[in-house]
């Protein structure tokens, strides 16, 4: 069974940093591109970042470019999001999600999602 | 940047058909994916690449895409279909989600 479990969320002050993790199981993690998607309270979905299976291709939303860094450790079946210079508008539930097909294929749908971890940026 | 516009809400009578639109410039040339999200839950993929259903998704869910509009159709709507629905595309090395539509089953 495919499982994605996010952790690392919490309360942080504006300007602070946080590192989110996503532990994957039930599939060959190293074969799939992975993604981070966030959802502010009461708002819609916003794509944050994507990383290909071997980390060769990395993409960011303009809203986080230069502040957030996506990475992965295939030996540990884990996905990460390092978030720096956090702002109030970064407050959201952060989901990790798997690309639907193995290998690299831009524009793939996300077929499995974690339950999310809440990040609150407030003084 | 590319924008996807959805109606804020759609209401449908129990057992009838709901159509949720997703508007974007020449969206017909892109692959459109659709997600269902119920309160407090993670999104679930219901249609991918315009009109394909993942395993486990009822045949009542279907999709189409042409011109400037993609459409998710829910036939024989059930109470359990009440949820928010989002369209998604890939454009210029970014994913874009639609604004979201709340479906209410009356």
């Amino acid at each position: 069974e495919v499982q994605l479990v996010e952790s690392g969320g919490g309360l942080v002050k504006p300007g602070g940093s946080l590192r989110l993790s996503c532990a994957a199981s039930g599939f060959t993690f190293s074969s799939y591109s992975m993604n981070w998607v966030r959802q502010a309270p009461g708002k819609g979905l916003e794509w944050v970042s994507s990383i290909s299976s071997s980390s060769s291709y990395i993409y960011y939303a303009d809203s986080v470019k230069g502040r957030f860094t996506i990475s992965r450790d295939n030996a540990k079946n884990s996905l990460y999001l390092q978030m720096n210079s956090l702002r109030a508008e970064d407050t959201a539930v952060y989901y990790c999600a798997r690309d639907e097909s193995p290998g690299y294929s831009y524009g793939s749908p996300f077929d499995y999602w974690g339950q999310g971890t809440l990040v609150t940026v407030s003084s | 940047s590319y924008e996807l516009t959805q109606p804020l809400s759609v209401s449908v009578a129990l057992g009838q058909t709901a159509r949720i639109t997703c508007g974007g410039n020449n969206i017909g040339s892109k692959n459109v994916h659709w997600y269902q999200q119920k309160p407090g839950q993670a999104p679930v993929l219901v249609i991918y690449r315009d009109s394909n259903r993942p395993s486990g998704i009822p045949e009542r869910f279907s999709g189409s895409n042409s011109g400037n509009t993609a459409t998710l159709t829910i036939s024989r709507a059930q109470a359990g279909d009440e949820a928010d629905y989002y369209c998604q595309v890939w454009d210029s090395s970014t994913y874009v989600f639609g604004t979201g539509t709340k479906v209410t089953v009356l």
Side-chain angles (χ1 to χ4, degrees):
Chain A
E1 178 195 4
V2 172
Q3 283 199 323
L4 298 170
V5 179
E6 302 93 339
S7 61
L11 176 63
V12 60
K13 289 181 168 54
S17 299
L18 213 54
R19 188 196 196 204
L20 305 184
S21 300
C22 172
S25 61
F27 66 102
T28 305
F29 180 74
S30 60
S31 295
Y32 289 79
S33 295
M34 297 294 295
N35 312 274
W36 288 101
V37 177
R38 68 184 181 183
Q39 186 169 37
K43 302 297 184 183
L45 302 175
E46 181 188 13
W47 170 78
V48 173
S49 184
S50 298
I51 185 169
S52 62
S53 56
S54 60
S55 305
S56 297
Y57 300 94
I58 289 176
Y59 305 99
Y60 296 100
D62 286 344
S63 58
V64 307
K65 201 173 295 183
R67 301 187 299 123
F68 290 11
T69 302
I70 192 172
S71 62
R72 62 190 296 160
D73 186 336
N74 287 341
K76 295 183 177 179
N77 291 340
S78 293
L79 174 72
Y80 306 102
L81 186 68
Q82 177 67 43
M83 304 186 297
N84 299 330
S85 303
L86 283 162
R87 306 166 180 166
E89 53 265 36
D90 296 318
T91 294
V93 173
Y94 285 74
Y95 296 99
C96 70
R98 190 189 83 164
D99 262 24
E100 166 251 0
S101 52
Y104 175 67
S105 175
Y106 61 84
S108 292
F110 304 160
D111 64 346
Y112 285 95
W113 298 61
Q115 282 306 303
T117 186
L118 176 62
V119 172
T120 303
V121 184
S122 174
S123 55
Chain B
S1 59
Y2 195 79
E3 294 183 352
L4 295 174
T5 302
Q6 299 181 233
L8 200 57
S9 62
V10 167
S11 296
V12 58
L14 189 67
Q16 297 304 302
T17 297
R19 292 180 180 84
I20 305 159
T21 57
C22 175
N25 184 35
N26 198 25
I27 195 174
S29 66
K30 303 180 185 300
N31 287 318
V32 180
H33 317 305
W34 289 92
Y35 300 87
Q36 174 195 70
Q37 186 181 33
K38 296 181 179 179
Q41 298 184 18
V44 172
L45 180 67
V46 293
I47 291 290
Y48 65 97
R49 296 190 188 91
D50 298 343
S51 58
N52 297 280
R53 272 179 297 102
S55 60
I57 300 301
E59 291 183 8
R60 302 183 297 102
F61 289 83
S62 61
S64 63
N65 184 20
S66 179
N68 293 318
T69 305
T71 302
L72 173 68
T73 300
I74 307 173
S75 304
R76 303 180 299 283
Q78 300 179 1
D81 298 333
E82 275 206 352
D84 294 326
Y85 291 83
Y86 298 89
C87 54
Q88 179 199 35
V89 301
W90 173 258
D91 178 82
S92 301
S93 301
T94 67
Y95 282 101
V96 180
F97 283 99
T99 50
T101 298
K102 181 176 181 59
V103 171
T104 300
V105 180
L106 305 172

